[in-house]
Amino acid sequence: MARQKDDERDSGSAINRVLDLMEAIARTGRALTVPELCGILDLPKPTAHRLCQRLENEGYLAREPGGRHYAVGPRLMRLSIDVLRWGAGAERRSILKGIVDEIGETCNFTALAGDEVVYVDRVEARWPLRLHLEPGSRVPLHCTASGKLFLASMPPARRERTLSAMNLSPFTAHTITDRAKLEDELAVIASQGYSLDREEFLLGLVAIAVPVKDRSGATIAALACHAPGARFDLGKAVERLPLFLEAATRLAATLPD
């Protein structure tokens, strides 16, 4: 019986170490080395190294080029998206529906997933002409309203790494493919607090996005509204910015602390 209790205690400690390690990497927002993780979590280096290797093998962590830094892996990324979709889903959809009823266009709740934007939730408008992007769909960062908002919200060092690794592929004639011009656009977005897609991802489609922030003020998600440019005037959309920002604040309250 004593041996069983010891085994259970050891197992519980191991699980806590794994969770603490994944949380440390996710919260820091950048890839970490084993020595850095040891300092944050007060773990022996062999233990931290062993846990990182196991989590990498299982897909929860991923090593960046060079092999010394560990970042969030695909399985941990999918888990985080699933948690966002599951938690407070009914309340979140009610908020999105209220905006759709007011604006008359599709609204999306999006998050950053690696070097892409993922659609966590959405409420469709009742127009016959609309874009179908189901929850779980992924779109590029550099040519979407949400994506540019996430880039503009990143700490400078992380944004530099992300942009350096990105291929600024043209999706339409309006896509910003020049690094310097994109950085100018991101500076404007950071200053004004919202982002616009001017037919940069899909020809004929425009969008506006505002940040959903946590208690520390960090952008952790976005509220985006998109529609065909023929019926959605971006100038008028900007005039409704207080409505979007108020809804974003309500959406932030649905997220876990």
Side-chain angles (χ1 to χ4, degrees):
M1 181 65 69
R3 174 64 180 275
Q4 181 179 354
K5 289 183 178 179
D6 288 342
D7 289 344
E8 290 174 352
R9 189 180 303 113
D10 291 342
S11 176
S13 298
I15 291 172
N16 287 336
R17 285 195 295 267
V18 167
L19 294 174
D20 288 344
L21 191 149
M22 292 192 295
E23 183 181 22
I25 292 177
R27 280 188 177 274
T28 304
R30 64 179 179 87
L32 297 174
T33 63
V34 169
E36 286 176 315
L37 287 166
C38 291
I40 293 171
L41 302 173
D42 193 26
L43 284 175
K45 187 174 180 179
T47 300
H49 185 70
R50 184 176 68 253
L51 290 176
C52 285
Q53 282 191 324
R54 179 64 183 271
L55 289 169
E56 181 189 9
N57 291 339
E58 296 294 334
Y60 289 99
L61 296 183
R63 258 192 283 191
E64 294 202 333
R68 297 181 63 248
H69 291 77
Y70 287 90
V72 171
R75 289 187 68 181
L76 183 54
M77 188 71 72
R78 285 196 298 270
L79 177 62
S80 66
I81 299 302
D82 289 341
V83 169
L84 278 177
R85 292 180 62 185
W86 180 83
E91 183 180 359
R92 188 179 302 130
R93 287 186 64 80
S94 177
I95 296 169
L96 292 176
K97 185 177 184 302
I99 311 169
V100 172
D101 290 342
E102 179 77 17
I103 302 295
E105 300 295 350
T106 297
C107 284
N108 310 288
F109 182 71
T110 65
L112 181 64
D115 59 354
E116 294 178 303
V117 174
V118 64
Y119 283 74
V120 179
D121 207 347
R122 68 189 276 109
V123 172
E124 295 272 6
R126 297 180 179 178
W127 294 94
L129 178 60
R130 59 193 184 192
L131 175 67
H132 291 280
L133 283 170
E134 298 301 322
S137 298
R138 296 179 180 234
V139 295
L141 287 177
H142 70 289
C143 58
T144 57
S146 291
K148 291 188 295 180
L149 185 72
F150 290 134
L151 284 169
S153 303
M154 289 179 182
R158 183 182 180 190
R159 181 168 57 248
E160 170 63 28
R161 291 195 303 270
T162 302
L163 289 174
S164 295
M166 285 175 59
N167 180 11
L168 303 181
S169 302
F171 284 77
T172 74
H174 305 287
T175 304
I176 302 174
T177 57
D178 180 81
R179 169 77 177 268
K181 290 181 180 179
L182 179 58
E183 289 181 333
D184 289 343
E185 170 88 348
L186 299 179
V188 171
I189 292 168
S191 174
Q192 67 191 12
Y194 65 89
S195 176
L196 299 176
D197 171 2
R198 306 173 185 86
E199 300 187 49
E200 296 160 53
F201 177 48
L202 290 172
L203 200 61
L205 187 78
V206 297
I208 183 171
V210 297
V212 176
K213 300 182 178 182
D214 64 13
R215 293 182 180 180
S216 71
T219 297
I220 55 175
L223 165 63
C225 181
H226 69 233
R231 67 168 187 252
F232 192 56
D233 185 290
L234 283 179
K236 292 182 179 178
V238 172
E239 292 176 2
R240 308 299 296 274
L241 192 60
L243 172 68
F244 292 117
L245 292 174
E246 188 273 337
T249 299
R250 293 169 60 203
L251 285 168
T254 70
L255 298 173
D257 294 331

